[in-house]
Amino acid sequence: MRIIGVTGGVGSGKSAVLNYLEEHFDSRVVKADEVGHMLMMPGRECYEPVISLFGEWVVKDDTSLDRSAIASIVFDNPEMLKKLDDIVHPEVKKYILREIERSKKEETEFFFIEAALLLEEKYDEICDEIWYIYCEKEVRMERLRRDRGYSDEKIRKLMENQLPDEVFEERCDFQLYNDEDVAHTYLQIERKMRTYYESV
């Protein structure tokens, strides 16, 4: 089984790429962000530690955590963000490592890990290679405005907190250009995936 990490700036369209891979190849896709949300659910590994960090007021009436309230706290507070990351990220990685082993037993051909902080959290150490999804900054900004309703200020802050393109380009094995032309994106994926089958 080939383990491939997928990363890229916010709004670069990673989900569209991963959806295509999941639909057209024998692959398992795990998104670190979704795993983090799951592990913060009642009864899961991060639930009680997060309450201890922020206080009972972040618990909603249905006992789930108010993630929007938590996000508003950490957005402008790097110290609290680090404390939250120190709770969630190690548990996410443990979960993903377990899922890798499970997928190996199921003889899945490809295992894709998607994470915004893929390099920062050292996922490259457990991946066979890293893909970088690249998209022009202006296109990313327009996507975030249109699809997520983000303000320019929020977009600017999110982009400032991510590694510069040069770091991704230097440390990633494959760069996929994901502009507005989805046919071009899919063609690049097909060409890349074909190289794996040709090398067997």
Side-chain angles (χ1 to χ4, degrees):
M1 186 175 77
R2 189 180 290 267
I3 303 165
I4 299 170
V6 178
T7 192
V10 60
S12 58
K14 297 183 288 293
S15 291
V17 171
L18 294 164
N19 289 342
Y20 187 86
L21 288 163
E22 209 161 26
E23 287 169 18
H24 293 85
F25 298 93
D26 176 21
S27 59
R28 172 83 194 283
V29 171
V30 174
K31 299 178 181 179
D33 200 35
E34 289 181 1
V35 174
H37 295 165
M38 180 183 68
L39 297 179
M40 286 169 65
M41 296 293 283
R44 297 303 300 254
E45 293 86 337
C46 301
Y47 181 71
E48 292 295 343
V50 169
I51 294 172
S52 296
L53 176 61
F54 292 100
E56 293 285 343
W57 73 275
V58 297
V59 182
K60 297 197 287 189
D61 291 341
D62 64 0
T63 74
S64 67
L65 296 175
D66 188 340
R67 288 196 291 109
S68 60
I70 292 170
S72 67
I73 295 169
V74 301
F75 191 70
D76 280 316
N77 191 327
E79 189 181 332
M80 288 300 282
L81 176 61
K82 184 180 186 314
K83 287 179 179 177
L84 177 63
D85 287 347
D86 287 346
I87 291 169
V88 178
H89 288 169
E91 293 299 334
V92 169
K93 190 174 265 188
K94 279 187 209 169
Y95 176 91
I96 290 174
L97 288 168
R98 288 197 301 270
E99 291 304 300
I100 286 172
E101 291 310 310
R102 194 154 71 99
S103 293
K104 279 180 182 173
K105 287 174 186 168
E106 293 169 357
E107 298 185 352
T108 306
E109 284 186 273
F110 300 95
F111 191 101
F112 290 92
I113 304 168
E114 185 270 310
L117 300 177
L118 195 89
L119 299 178
E120 294 93 324
E121 290 298 312
K122 297 185 168 53
Y123 278 98
D124 51 338
E125 293 175 358
I126 61 174
C127 293
D128 296 310
E129 63 183 79
I130 304 291
W131 288 16
Y132 173 47
I133 313 301
Y134 175 80
C135 183
E136 295 286 346
K137 184 178 177 181
E138 290 72 22
V139 176
R140 289 163 54 201
M141 291 180 74
E142 180 52 36
R143 282 178 183 164
L144 292 168
R145 286 190 206 103
R146 182 189 66 218
D147 301 339
R148 303 191 200 177
Y150 286 179
S151 67
D152 285 355
E153 172 63 18
K154 183 167 185 176
I155 294 168
R156 184 186 62 77
K157 191 124 185 176
L158 286 168
M159 289 184 169
E160 279 177 359
N161 287 336
Q162 296 195 313
L163 293 171
D165 290 335
E166 299 77 42
V167 174
F168 286 118
E169 289 165 8
E170 186 182 307
R171 293 180 57 188
C172 295
D173 304 288
F174 171 62
Q175 188 163 310
L176 192 154
Y177 292 87
N178 188 30
D179 52 17
E180 295 293 89
D181 182 1
V182 291
H184 180 238
T185 299
Y186 296 158
L187 180 63
Q188 291 173 80
I189 295 170
E190 290 287 346
R191 283 177 177 161
K192 181 61 179 173
M193 294 302 287
R194 206 175 301 138
T195 65
Y196 299 131
Y197 293 105
E198 289 167 357
S199 65
V200 172

